[in-house]
Amino acid sequence: MLEVANLSVGRGGISLLNNVSFSLKAGQGLVLRGPNGIGKTSLLRSVAGLQRPLCGDISLDGSIAYAAHVDGNKGQLTVRENLNFWADVYGSEMMEVALIAFKLHDLGQRPAANLSAGQQRRLSLARMLVTGCKVWVMDEPTVSLDQENTALFRVAVERHLQLGGIALLSSHSELELNTETLDLVQFRASQRIIVSAFDKALE
């Protein structure tokens, strides 16, 4: 289970979202909606443990994998070497499954630096499969993907949910996933400026 309770997040000294709450059980997914700058990325980074929230609680039962805006592939390594690295880290045997799921098998020996933007994104998403993590957190995962490859992503997420996984993602696109949607506008912080303890000491 993934549970977020009364979570508030900010960025660069500005509060963005207040009192966000939701819970996801095995087999459930949630798509976060909202305009640019509202705090989708900050919220996802907080859930993934990469950014400290201002307040609130995050409860997670299981391992988590995060896919950000930046693909995070090692350009000097081949597609296979990139995935094999993460397979070794997580002790996973899902590399061949990931290559097939995202149609990367024929690109296996190509250095990641020589991939197109769409191919880079597919490699980044294939890494989610390779980790074997129960919870997938993804920030605009279909950026750079055409219609055909967006369909591959949709199949991968639906399969992940069918196997008891959890998916939390942000997207401006209509992904046609069997998931709930949460509009973050309702949680927009009314008081945008964060006054830190250091700032108060200077008053």
Side-chain angles (χ1 to χ4, degrees):
M1 172 183 282
L2 170 63
E3 184 170 3
V4 170
N6 300 315
L7 197 71
S8 296
V9 299
R11 186 174 183 177
I14 301 175
S15 59
L16 298 172
L17 298 169
N18 283 337
N19 301 317
V20 180
S21 296
F22 59 84
S23 63
L24 296 171
K25 297 180 180 179
Q28 292 184 324
L30 181 67
V31 178
L32 304 178
R33 301 285 190 189
N36 290 335
I38 198 169
K40 298 186 295 296
T41 295
S42 295
L43 176 57
L44 293 175
R45 285 176 53 84
S46 293
V47 172
L50 300 175
Q51 176 178 324
R52 183 175 297 177
L54 303 178
C55 63
D57 298 302
I58 302 169
S59 299
L60 175 65
D61 181 14
S63 54
I64 190 167
Y66 176 65
H69 280 296
V70 179
D71 293 317
N73 303 317
K74 300 296 183 182
Q76 69 273 26
L77 300 181
T78 67
V79 168
R80 278 188 170 274
E81 287 170 340
N82 268 279
L83 294 180
N84 189 60
F85 172 83
W86 291 108
D88 287 345
V89 168
Y90 285 91
S92 167
E93 298 180 356
M94 294 290 289
M95 189 174 76
E96 294 299 327
V97 173
L99 286 168
I100 294 171
F102 286 95
K103 291 190 176 181
L104 292 167
H105 209 277
D106 291 342
L107 300 172
Q109 301 307 317
R110 184 177 298 183
N114 296 338
L115 298 176
S116 70
Q119 291 166 342
Q120 288 269 7
R121 175 56 56 162
R122 282 154 54 198
L123 176 55
S124 176
L125 294 173
R127 189 171 66 239
M128 306 294 283
L129 265 175
V130 167
T131 66
C133 291
K134 286 292 185 181
V135 181
W136 291 0
V137 176
M138 298 166 285
D139 195 356
E140 294 289 347
T142 58
V143 169
S144 300
L145 294 186
D146 58 21
Q147 188 173 358
E148 177 183 354
N149 289 305
T150 296
L152 292 180
F153 167 75
R154 183 165 57 247
V155 170
V157 172
E158 289 175 346
R159 179 61 174 163
H160 179 64
L161 298 178
Q162 289 168 2
L163 293 174
I166 289 172
L168 174 66
L169 61 144
S170 68
S171 181
H172 291 290
S173 304
E174 293 298 330
L175 300 177
E176 300 179 5
L177 289 168
N178 186 26
T179 58
E180 297 294 323
T181 300
L182 181 63
D183 190 342
L184 294 179
V185 171
Q186 61 187 305
F187 303 107
R188 193 196 300 267
S190 57
Q191 176 61 39
R192 305 285 287 183
I193 303 300
I194 301 170
V195 180
S196 67
F198 177 78
D199 292 329
K200 288 182 179 179
L202 296 179
E203 291 180 353

